[in-house]
Amino acid sequence: MGIEGIGARVARKEDRRFITGAGRYVDDMVVPGMKHAVFVRSPYAHAQIKKIDVSKAKAMPGVIGVLTGKELKADGIGNLICGWMIHSKDGSPMKMGAWSPLAVDRVRYVGDAVAVVVAETKNQARDAAEAVEVAYKELKAVVDPVSALEKGAPQIHPEAEGNLIFDWEIGDSKAADQAIASAAHVTRLKLYNNRLVPNAMEPRAALGVYDKAEDHYTCWTTSQNPHVARLVMSAFYNVAPENKLRVIAPDVGGGFGSKIYIYPEEIVCLWASKRTGVPVKWVADRTESFMCDAHGRDHVSTIEMAFDKDHRITGLKVDTIANLGAYMSLFSSCVPTYLYATLLSGQYNIPAIHANVRAVYTNTAPVDAYRGAGRPEACYLLERTIETAARELGVDPAELRRKNFITQFPHQTPVIMNYDAGDFGASLDAAMKAADYAGFPKRKAEAAARGKLRGIGMSCYIEACGIAPSAAVGSLGAGVGLWESAEVRVNAVGTIEVLTGSHSHGQGHETTFAQLVCERLGVPIDSVSIVHGDTDKVQMGMGTYGSRSGAVGMSAIAKALDKIEAKAKKIAAHLMEADEGDIVIENGELKVAGTDKKVPWFQLALAAYTAHNLPAGMEPGLKESAFYDPTNFTFPAGCYICEVEVDPETGVTEIVQFVAADDFGNIINPMIVEGQVHGGIAQGVGQALLEGAIYDGSGQLLTASYMDYTMPRASDLPSFKVSTSNTPSPGNPLGMKGCGEAGAIGAPPAVMNAITNAIGNNDFDMPATPSRVWAAIQATKH
């Protein structure tokens, strides 16, 4: 490990521009002639559009144009799609309802866009949008996923009878039923995983520019995967041919999954730019973000977990109803299926598993991946259930988990996944030691003396990251491959540019990716630049989500560096008249091992480009690219222990200790990893204690601002104790596993297990607000 290489706690290079206000976000982009867009959105959750009158709006000051879905359809713009095909257990394909970027004849959730106004200023566009007259015929709405399946529920899409999108299963139903029937003990729970709003710091935004002279389109957008955005907008939405569309995702202020997808707004901005002849910018206000960004979670599940007389798990049966909202977002179908049910074995050796998932439409915002995407939902129900089982069986929750841990690898689960490496006991031991688990009874007694209820809960999570290989996910219905690309350019003076298909929106890629180059070539970190987010600069790549940038994106860089090293050693051997096998790269120099012969890196690079003295037949230059497709998922895992104190008079919960022991494989930058864990835990705690998107019966979002949707603050969180162990992943050349989602996966069940332990009542759902906790305490008194 060098001072700036792998394993070093290097301060993030990109933070200088962020903390000095020099970041460049979509809203900072200004192009000549740029105008502003405001969308007219439905105030109803379900209604027919009888008429749209734009005459008053068109006549208002500054208005360039007012466009509706009829013009959009006349120009051949396509419907939004879901890019992962799921088949029901009867073999029928999922029922994808039509989603026009601008609604034509029906709206299906509050916030559904029906028109767009383009004007000189944003305020002029707002005023004109209010003048657009839309005549609606309001229809009955349904917001609850269970109610949406009931007979007589409002029909949301004609394509999906009874609002059922698919009825999917995985595992062996007969084996799971037999395990439950013959069990010595069965734990049964019904759990709700609450709906969340992503709330990235930067709202979504788009700037569409049509160049008539070149017949070319440019879209600046808040995207986690600009190449996929270009692909989908060209191939499916007919916005522009791919070779005539440039997508740029500059600095992006957080995503958490919500910026993976292509939304109506970027499609409309590009189309409107051509229609009106001016560049068109749209930036969401925060209420739009609450209403229209893809939400997360929203599962209703029943669980049965079977044990034999020795307390070993023999079977697991899960039935889940997943709310996908009013439309199928780009990757919505895989979240409650292959990203969820395939992780239901958790860290445990469970011989029989069966899960049935019904996905449904409701008159709510579309639901898609949100930090963890299916893995948090699986971990939550599994860890709540095993904790409950320990209480019912009268055994220690830690030891019940330990007894059922998988201990031999590789391990094939009954639900597709093949875990390649891990040491679950090591994470459990580390967490218990850091939490002083054995000393909890004393702390509980001390709290009781102060009138507080103290509880402890744990969560042993596992997740699947770096989803691949492409052939495997393709066979499961994915519409794209999940490889990654990289290009390494060594300039003539020895500086290095790395062009990556991954995208950074808070992960610190400009630092960690540069550290890998420093480790391999021994050059200073400031001589390495990371380029991403521009489809005209970077070759096709798949973007950032699912904790894939390290295991997949950096592996592609490593493969390109292999080629750079090989060519550099050939040149160095030729220049020094040495054997290629004797060349080593150290501290920015290429040396002949065992001698004092050496060539500085900059001199080697210059030689590659002057081409005055290269090996016979070698091409000039020093630039290589690589595409990397992993052989398997990676499987980060860990143990979280949460300790809380609850005030029985008010129901207020205070987290007094939180311990995280994670196994992320090899780590590039420990400081950045710790930051990722802290952020993930904060979001997990937010879900457990505070957050929840609530609709009323008519489909109005009651939590559409920070006045009503409670975000975690610093005062809600303790100082975390975090540590890592390391079982390297054998599935990629760097041995990495991914760390970005772990905290959001492991934290919610740990917090809820601690609260239910404290109050002695297991019968309530997240978020554990003071009113809910107080009511649960009162229920134990009767």
Side-chain angles (χ1 to χ4, degrees):
M1 179 186 79
I3 193 169
E4 295 175 326
I6 292 176
R9 301 176 69 88
V10 178
R12 297 192 348 160
K13 294 173 63 179
E14 51 268 71
D15 283 353
R16 178 179 295 275
R17 71 174 184 274
F18 293 145
I19 63 178
T20 58
R24 295 281 288 165
Y25 300 90
V26 173
D27 195 31
D28 294 314
M29 303 302 163
V30 177
V31 298
M34 185 181 78
K35 311 305 178 187
H36 298 268
V38 168
F39 284 83
V40 179
R41 299 189 183 276
S42 170
Y44 298 107
H46 199 195
Q48 290 180 347
I49 300 173
K50 307 300 288 185
K51 182 182 179 183
I52 302 177
D53 185 348
V54 302
S55 56
K56 290 182 181 178
K58 281 185 173 181
M60 292 185 70
V63 172
I64 308 294
V66 183
L67 304 172
T68 68
K70 287 186 177 179
E71 290 115 319
L72 182 132
K73 290 303 174 188
D75 286 351
I77 302 299
N79 292 329
L80 284 88
I81 63 160
C82 177
W84 194 303
M85 172 55 70
I86 296 295
H87 288 85
S88 291
K89 55 192 178 186
D90 65 3
S92 61
M94 65 190 189
K95 307 301 189 292
M96 185 165 58
W99 184 8
S100 173
L102 294 174
V104 177
D105 53 10
R106 183 176 290 209
V107 290
R108 294 178 171 88
Y109 73 102
V110 173
D112 216 350
V114 298
V116 63
V117 175
V118 179
E120 293 284 347
T121 70
K122 194 167 186 177
N123 284 338
Q124 287 175 330
R126 280 199 187 103
D127 291 343
E130 291 181 2
V132 173
E133 297 178 354
V134 184
Y136 296 99
K137 179 184 178 183
E138 188 175 5
L139 305 171
K140 288 185 178 180
V142 60
V143 300
D144 174 67
V146 177
S147 301
L149 290 174
E150 294 174 353
K151 188 176 181 180
Q155 181 73 33
I156 297 172
H157 287 279
E159 298 89 345
E161 184 179 351
N163 300 317
L164 181 65
I165 301 169
F166 56 76
D167 185 356
W168 176 89
E169 67 176 350
I170 191 171
D172 188 332
S173 179
K174 185 177 180 181
D177 286 339
Q178 288 175 345
I180 292 166
S182 61
H185 178 83
V186 179
T187 293
R188 294 179 170 88
L189 281 181
K190 182 175 181 179
L191 296 172
Y192 173 59
N193 204 293
N194 43 325
R195 177 184 280 241
L196 304 175
V197 179
N199 279 311
M201 186 178 293
E202 177 200 22
R204 287 190 298 112
L207 168 57
V209 179
Y210 175 66
D211 183 336
K212 185 177 181 180
E214 299 290 338
D215 188 28
H216 185 274
Y217 299 76
T218 302
C219 179
W220 281 267
T221 180
T222 48
S223 175
Q224 297 177 218
N225 48 355
H227 279 100
V228 174
R230 183 175 76 156
L231 169 66
V232 173
M233 284 196 286
S234 61
F236 298 101
Y237 305 154
N238 304 319
V239 176
E242 194 171 11
N243 64 317
K244 292 183 175 291
L245 174 59
R246 180 185 185 184
V247 176
I248 304 170
D251 289 329
V252 174
F256 313 119
S258 69
K259 294 174 182 174
I260 298 172
Y261 330 112
I262 291 80
Y263 289 88
E265 290 84 6
E266 49 259 49
I267 299 169
V268 171
C269 283
L270 281 168
W271 166 71
S273 178
K274 184 175 183 179
R275 261 276 182 165
T276 60
V278 297
V280 176
K281 179 194 276 187
W282 166 80
V283 180
D285 62 35
R286 189 54 72 175
T287 296
E288 280 182 298
S289 296
F290 273 100
M291 291 195 305
C292 304
D293 287 4
H295 292 179
R297 316 295 191 245
D298 207 346
H299 284 193
V300 178
S301 298
T302 56
I303 309 102
E304 295 176 286
M305 182 179 284
F307 294 84
D308 65 16
K309 60 182 178 57
D310 298 318
H311 301 162
R312 295 193 184 278
I313 305 172
T314 57
L316 178 72
K317 197 169 182 72
V318 175
D319 182 84
T320 294
I321 299 174
N323 187 351
L324 296 191
Y327 302 102
M328 294 190 76
S329 180
L330 189 62
F331 292 118
S332 58
S333 58
C334 70
V335 175
T337 53
Y338 292 112
L339 298 184
Y340 162 68
T342 57
L343 273 298
L344 286 174
S345 192
Q347 297 187 7
Y348 310 113
N349 188 357
I350 307 176
I353 300 175
H354 180 260
N356 195 94
V357 178
R358 288 169 287 169
V360 302
Y361 287 117
T362 61
N363 295 115
T364 61
V367 176
D368 210 315
Y370 168 69
R371 198 170 191 170
R375 282 71 57 89
E377 294 92 318
C379 178
Y380 182 70
L381 69 82
L382 198 61
E383 291 303 297
R384 284 291 307 274
T385 305
I386 198 166
E387 189 90 7
T388 302
R391 296 169 190 173
E392 292 174 351
L393 293 167
V395 299
D396 180 78
E399 295 314 307
L400 183 62
R401 287 176 168 88
R402 191 189 303 276
K403 175 173 282 190
N404 286 281
F405 277 160
I406 296 161
T407 56
Q408 293 185 332
F409 297 90
H411 175 85
Q412 178 63 55
T413 75
V415 280
I416 295 180
M417 293 300 181
N418 188 290
Y419 300 164
D420 51 16
D423 187 345
F424 306 146
S427 296
L428 177 63
D429 290 339
M432 291 175 70
K433 181 178 179 181
D436 184 21
Y437 190 80
F440 172 72
K442 182 178 179 181
R443 297 192 295 278
K444 184 177 181 70
E446 186 275 332
R450 293 185 281 107
K452 297 294 179 70
L453 304 174
R454 194 166 182 123
I456 193 166
M458 67 171 53
S459 166
C460 292
Y461 77 90
I462 190 168
E463 59 167 325
C465 301
I467 304 170
S470 296
V473 297
S475 71
L476 300 178
V480 293
L482 293 175
W483 43 266
E484 196 46 86
S485 71
E487 182 180 339
V488 177
R489 298 177 182 172
V490 180
N491 298 317
V493 293
T495 57
I496 298 166
E497 297 169 69
V498 176
L499 292 83
T500 172
S502 299
H503 184 273
S504 183
H505 41 277
Q507 292 84 356
H509 292 172
E510 292 176 37
T511 304
T512 51
F513 288 12
Q515 285 181 255
L516 173 60
V517 178
C518 294
E519 181 76 17
R520 295 286 295 270
L521 304 180
V523 296
I525 197 166
D526 287 339
S527 71
V528 182
S529 299
I530 309 300
V531 180
H532 65 92
D534 187 336
T535 61
D536 269 15
K537 292 181 179 179
V538 180
Q539 64 189 4
M540 178 74 177
M542 300 312 297
T544 293
Y545 40 85
S547 302
R548 70 189 305 269
S549 294
V552 187
M554 290 186 74
S555 290
I557 297 171
K559 292 293 186 182
L561 286 170
D562 289 344
K563 299 176 184 179
I564 291 287
E565 279 193 31
K567 185 171 183 179
K569 287 179 177 180
K570 281 185 171 69
I571 298 172
H574 178 74
L575 293 175
M576 293 185 285
E577 298 180 341
D579 188 272
E580 185 183 328
D582 292 333
I583 303 297
V584 294
I585 302 177
E586 293 177 352
N587 301 319
E589 297 174 325
L590 291 95
K591 304 176 181 179
V592 180
T595 75
D596 60 357
K597 290 184 177 181
K598 59 185 179 182
V599 177
W601 178 256
F602 75 89
Q603 187 174 323
L604 184 284
L606 188 61
Y609 285 95
T610 59
H612 293 164
N613 185 17
L614 293 178
M618 177 178 282
E619 293 181 354
L622 195 52
K623 180 182 78 169
E624 300 288 350
S625 65
F627 287 75
Y628 178 72
D629 199 356
T631 58
N632 192 9
F633 294 67
T634 66
F635 298 99
C639 177
Y640 290 178
I641 298 179
C642 176
E643 207 163 319
V644 301
E645 284 191 359
V646 177
D647 185 336
E649 300 301 318
T650 63
V652 171
T653 298
E654 179 186 4
I655 299 176
V656 293
Q657 178 174 254
F658 199 104
V659 169
D662 297 289
D663 178 359
F664 297 134
N666 293 333
I667 290 173
I668 303 297
N669 187 318
M671 182 168 60
I672 288 177
V673 168
E674 289 164 10
Q676 288 287 318
V677 173
H678 286 191
I681 294 172
Q683 286 183 266
V685 169
Q687 176 173 17
L689 293 183
L690 303 163
E691 298 182 51
I694 306 298
Y695 288 87
D696 71 10
S698 68
Q700 295 295 324
L701 181 62
L702 301 180
T703 51
S705 77
Y706 291 129
M707 294 293 288
D708 304 297
Y709 187 97
T710 311
M711 296 283 284
R713 302 184 180 188
S715 60
D716 297 310
L717 304 168
S719 180
F720 306 124
K721 297 179 182 178
V722 301
S723 66
T724 58
S725 55
N726 182 2
T727 56
S729 171
N732 63 76
L734 298 173
M736 300 175 68
K737 293 185 178 181
C739 68
E741 297 164 297
I745 294 168
V751 174
M752 289 298 290
N753 285 339
I755 295 170
T756 56
N757 172 253
I759 69 174
N761 186 339
N762 201 42
D763 191 23
F764 64 100
D765 286 308
M766 298 185 291
T769 59
S771 61
R772 284 188 179 179
V773 174
W774 183 86
I777 293 170
Q778 304 313 304
T780 64
K781 298 177 180 179
H782 301 294

